[in-house]
Amino acid sequence: MKNNIFKNITIITAISMLLLTVLIIVSFVLVSTSDSKKELRTYSETCNKQIEKIENKDDLDKFNYYKKENNIRITVFTSSGRIYKDTTGIDMLSEIEGNQMEALVYLVMDETEIGTNLELVASPYTDQNAMHVLYTKVKVPFAVDENEFLIVRYSISSIIGSRAFHVLLITLAGFWLLVIAVLFILFWYNIQASMKPLEQVQAIMNDIQAGTYKASKETYSVFDSQADKMVSQIDKIGDLINNNLLEMEMVLDSIKQGVITFDKNGSILYQNKAAKELLNFDIIKSGGVRKFFDTIGFKEDLNEAFNNRKESSLELSINEKVLKVENIFTRTDQMDTIGIYMLLVITDITEEKNALKYKNQFFADASHELKTPLTAITGYSEMLSISTTNEKVVKKCSDEINKNAIRMKALIEEMLQLSKMENIKTDIEFEQISLRNILDSIIEDLSVIAKKKQVDINISGEATIMGNKKLIIMLYKNLISNAIKYNKENGSIDVNISEDSDKVYLSVKDTGIGIAKEHLTKIFERFYRVEESRTTNDQVESSTGLGLSIVQKICDLHNAKIQVESILGEGTEFKIIFNK
């Protein structure tokens, strides 16, 4: 705005000064011309009267004395147009030409004078000089030629050709040079002043681009204020974008699935935390999509899928994990906007695979375990159908059928219990429970079984944990039942409960037959039984091979650890460590 005002003022000033200069020159010329004409006419009237009084042509030279001290030049012509005398004192007897001859013709035709005109008159110093000229016709008493009159020309230099006019022009030219110089300085200063804000803006933009701009506490110019507002808006937008990116990254990092994004050139744009952990290496540093495919395998399948925009699902085994790798392509109209060409979603299906494996193994083991008592029941049933008169045979068959039926029932019940616990996820209910109170509530039933084998049960200690009462009861029954089952006659079982600052310890120690060292790592497997020597002849106490598997699962659900120590022939101790 200021620049436009300054520009308009400068133009108006220059035009005004130019018009003023022209007006000065025109006025000077007009005034000078008027004065020159007036001076010529006044002087010619006086001089002509003097010339008319001259009686002898030889006395004509005296008219020089009549000439005042001025710049008027007097030239005398004959009636035929020849120069006769001139006040310059030189002999210029030459023919005249142009408008001078035309003036002489008019004078010869009885005209007394021709008004002043601006003509080019010969000069002794220059070829021609611009002069104001007045032609007059003067009668004289003598004759220079056949006519008795002379033509007298009075001329004075025009202001256009005068030194004063030249001085005026030079002065005006100098003035204009000064004006131009001043205008140039003003323009230069204005340009510098105009460039200063631009330089300031450039400096601000450079600082903004470099991220080093800081809002000034004092506002020195409108640019500082606007820059502060702009940077504030940029900061707000940047914070919003960063927050959105952070939220998106937090969401992606919180999911268990690995997510990797690629652009259409195969460059890896992003990897979440799960992807890096599942693959156990930095995907971004792998060097692009094809090197990444080489690293994880399935190069041909994934390359074909990437090049042909073909969605696929593959399974990958890496670091003892089974991973499901799926590729998803963005829509073509979204690709240029978001820059993502393909997403790779990696899911850890190790547990699913293991669960399927365990399930198959479970059914195979269950079928095998159920087949044994069923075969016995079928065999003894056939014996009863053949021999119904022998009481000993009938009793033997009936006892065996009953024993195997009880074993099948126990096996099925424990299989159902284990299946239920396998399906428990996070909906299990925990409460503050006393391990001693729960033990006291079930010890009476267990003591009945212990008395049959003449085994003493000793209880000591007290502690509370956060747990599920039903599962803890099941844990007690399995551990103490095994301790009774595999104990010696007149043996003992010590159940001890203790605690420290952050742990609770439950120990079940018996004086039984013990477990060989090579079996200790396998006793928690389903349907695993150490050997026939650990089985009993008591029908109620027949083993299913699932009891310790159930104990292990209960410990897992309580985030507890189970340890076992055993010496063959001396006894076994199971120790469970709960977190408070």
Side-chain angles (χ1 to χ4, degrees):
M1 181 69 181
K2 291 181 179 179
N3 290 339
N4 291 334
I5 293 174
F6 177 80
K7 182 179 178 181
N8 293 334
I9 292 175
T10 302
I11 294 173
I12 293 172
T13 302
I15 293 174
S16 300
M17 293 181 67
L18 180 63
L19 292 176
L20 180 61
T21 302
V22 172
L23 180 62
I24 291 173
I25 294 173
V26 171
S27 299
F28 186 80
V29 171
L30 291 177
V31 171
S32 298
T33 300
S34 176
D35 291 344
S36 297
K37 289 182 178 181
K38 184 176 180 181
E39 184 179 1
L40 279 178
R41 187 167 297 281
T42 302
Y43 183 76
S44 65
E45 290 176 356
T46 302
C47 191
N48 284 345
K49 290 180 180 180
Q50 297 297 327
I51 293 174
E52 288 176 352
K53 294 178 181 180
I54 296 175
E55 296 178 354
N56 190 329
K57 65 180 179 178
D58 293 331
D59 296 333
L60 189 60
D61 292 333
K62 294 180 181 180
F63 78 91
N64 284 326
Y65 299 106
Y66 307 134
K67 179 179 176 302
K68 296 180 180 179
E69 299 215 356
N70 52 34
N71 295 323
I72 297 176
R73 177 182 175 183
I74 303 172
T75 307
V76 179
F77 296 88
T78 64
S79 58
S80 60
R82 292 182 61 85
I83 295 176
Y84 185 68
K85 295 289 182 178
D86 189 89
T87 56
T88 57
I90 61 172
D91 187 10
M92 298 180 64
L93 302 177
S94 59
E95 296 291 337
I96 62 174
E97 299 178 352
N99 55 351
Q100 297 175 7
M101 180 58 72
E102 184 177 354
L104 295 177
V105 170
Y106 279 107
L107 291 172
V108 170
M109 296 172 62
D110 294 333
E111 295 291 337
T112 57
E113 72 175 34
I114 298 295
T116 55
N117 297 313
L118 185 64
E119 297 181 3
L120 294 176
V121 178
S123 170
Y125 308 107
T126 59
D127 292 338
Q128 288 182 326
N129 189 22
M131 304 187 78
H132 292 290
V133 177
L134 175 63
Y135 290 91
T136 60
K137 182 177 179 182
V138 181
K139 292 184 178 182
V140 293
F142 56 86
V144 176
D145 51 18
E146 63 276 9
N147 299 311
E148 292 182 354
F149 63 86
L150 296 174
I151 298 173
V152 181
R153 180 184 68 189
Y154 299 94
S155 60
I156 188 172
S157 294
S158 170
I159 187 61
I160 297 175
S162 68
R163 180 175 296 179
F165 186 72
H166 292 162
V167 171
L168 175 64
L169 292 180
I170 292 172
T171 301
L172 291 175
F175 170 75
W176 270 104
L177 287 176
L178 180 61
V179 169
I180 291 172
V182 171
L183 290 176
F184 176 79
I185 293 172
L186 291 176
F187 270 117
W188 181 84
Y189 177 79
N190 188 54
I191 290 172
Q192 293 298 314
S194 301
M195 290 299 294
K196 186 175 181 180
L198 295 178
E199 292 173 356
Q200 186 179 6
V201 170
Q202 182 65 43
I204 292 173
M205 294 305 295
N206 290 338
D207 290 342
I208 293 174
Q209 186 175 5
T212 58
Y213 179 82
K214 294 182 180 179
S216 55
K217 294 182 180 179
E218 298 181 4
T219 301
Y220 296 101
S221 68
V222 68
F223 298 108
D224 292 327
S225 176
Q226 293 300 322
D228 291 347
K229 292 179 181 178
M230 182 174 66
V231 170
S232 177
Q233 292 297 324
I234 292 174
D235 288 341
K236 289 180 180 178
I237 296 172
D239 291 341
L240 180 62
I241 293 173
N242 289 333
N243 290 337
N244 290 337
L245 290 175
L246 184 60
E247 290 175 2
M248 183 184 71
E249 188 172 353
M250 290 177 63
V251 170
L252 290 175
D253 283 343
S254 65
I255 64 176
K256 294 181 179 180
Q257 289 179 304
V259 178
I260 308 172
T261 59
F262 302 85
D263 63 14
K264 62 182 178 180
N265 297 320
S267 298
I268 299 173
L269 302 175
Y270 174 78
Q271 62 175 347
N272 69 343
K273 182 179 179 181
K276 192 173 181 179
E277 291 177 351
L278 289 172
L279 297 174
N280 199 27
F281 70 93
D282 195 330
I283 301 102
I284 292 178
K285 294 181 179 179
S286 64
V289 64
R290 287 167 178 78
K291 288 187 178 180
F292 170 67
F293 291 163
D294 289 342
T295 304
I296 66 172
F298 302 104
K299 174 182 177 182
E300 295 182 358
D301 295 333
L302 291 175
N303 276 336
E304 181 183 358
F306 184 85
N307 294 330
N308 299 326
R309 292 181 60 84
K310 179 182 177 183
E311 295 187 356
S312 61
S313 178
L314 303 170
E315 289 186 6
L316 170 68
S317 295
I318 186 171
N319 300 325
E320 299 182 354
K321 297 177 183 177
V322 181
L323 306 178
K324 184 179 180 181
V325 181
E326 299 174 283
N327 60 316
I328 304 170
F329 292 92
T330 56
R331 295 203 315 260
T332 306
D333 58 335
Q334 293 178 332
M335 186 171 60
D336 292 334
T337 303
I338 63 178
I340 298 176
Y341 176 74
M342 184 183 77
L343 282 82
L344 212 62
V345 181
I346 304 172
T347 308
D348 187 355
I349 59 173
T350 305
E351 291 186 3
E352 295 178 16
K353 287 291 183 180
N354 290 339
L356 181 60
K357 179 182 177 181
Y358 292 149
K359 182 179 179 181
N360 294 335
Q361 185 65 38
F362 180 81
F363 281 117
D365 293 339
S367 299
H368 176 74
E369 294 297 325
L370 290 172
K371 183 179 180 181
T372 301
L374 281 174
T375 301
I377 290 172
T378 303
Y380 286 116
S381 297
E382 289 177 355
M383 287 179 65
L384 283 175
S385 65
I386 295 172
S387 176
T388 57
T389 56
N390 192 329
E391 292 183 1
K392 290 184 177 180
V393 173
V394 171
K395 188 176 184 307
K396 173 70 174 175
C397 290
S398 298
D399 290 343
E400 290 295 330
I401 290 172
N402 186 48
K403 173 184 174 182
N404 284 283
I406 292 173
R407 183 182 176 188
M408 284 186 64
K409 180 183 177 183
L411 181 62
I412 292 171
E413 286 178 351
E414 291 188 351
M415 287 171 60
L416 290 174
Q417 289 175 352
L418 189 59
S419 177
K420 288 179 180 179
M421 286 188 289
E422 290 286 355
N423 292 325
I424 291 176
K425 299 297 182 183
T426 57
D427 55 348
I428 185 171
E429 294 182 0
F430 288 93
E431 59 181 328
Q432 197 76 22
I433 58 176
S434 170
L435 292 178
R436 180 61 180 266
N437 292 341
I438 293 175
L439 181 57
D440 290 341
S441 67
I442 63 172
I443 196 64
E444 185 176 349
D445 294 336
L446 294 171
S447 295
V448 174
I449 303 173
K451 287 179 182 180
K452 290 182 180 180
K453 292 197 66 173
Q454 298 178 352
V455 175
D456 294 330
I457 301 176
N458 304 309
I459 302 173
S460 63
E462 162 68 348
T464 59
I465 63 168
M466 286 297 295
N468 183 273
K469 186 175 180 179
K470 290 182 179 180
L471 294 179
I472 296 299
I473 291 173
M474 193 180 300
L475 179 142
Y476 271 136
K477 285 184 176 181
N478 276 284
L479 288 177
I480 297 175
S481 293
N482 280 345
I484 295 171
K485 189 185 302 181
Y486 299 111
N487 214 321
K488 301 173 184 177
E489 289 187 3
N490 300 318
S492 64
I493 299 172
D494 295 322
V495 181
N496 178 260
I497 303 169
S498 62
E499 63 179 328
D500 58 20
S501 60
D502 58 348
K503 304 288 183 183
V504 173
Y505 304 94
L506 172 63
S507 172
V508 179
K509 185 177 182 180
D510 64 57
T511 58
I513 60 177
I515 305 170
K517 186 176 181 180
E518 62 269 19
H519 296 293
L520 290 177
T521 57
K522 300 179 181 179
I523 59 176
F524 296 105
E525 295 180 5
R526 297 167 184 171
F527 303 109
Y528 186 81
R529 286 189 295 274
V530 176
E531 54 189 352
E532 288 299 321
S533 63
R534 278 186 60 85
T535 62
T536 74
N537 293 324
D538 193 330
Q539 294 176 350
V540 178
E541 297 174 334
S542 58
S543 175
T544 63
L546 292 175
L548 291 179
S549 294
I550 293 173
V551 170
Q552 177 70 69
K553 187 62 182 176
I554 293 172
C555 290
D556 291 342
L557 292 174
H558 285 78
N559 196 26
K561 294 180 180 180
I562 184 168
Q563 299 173 351
V564 58
E565 294 179 1
S566 183
I567 300 175
L568 194 61
E570 295 184 10
T572 303
E573 180 182 10
F574 287 91
K575 184 182 288 186
I576 301 172
I577 305 171
F578 295 96
N579 295 316
K580 279 189 173 180

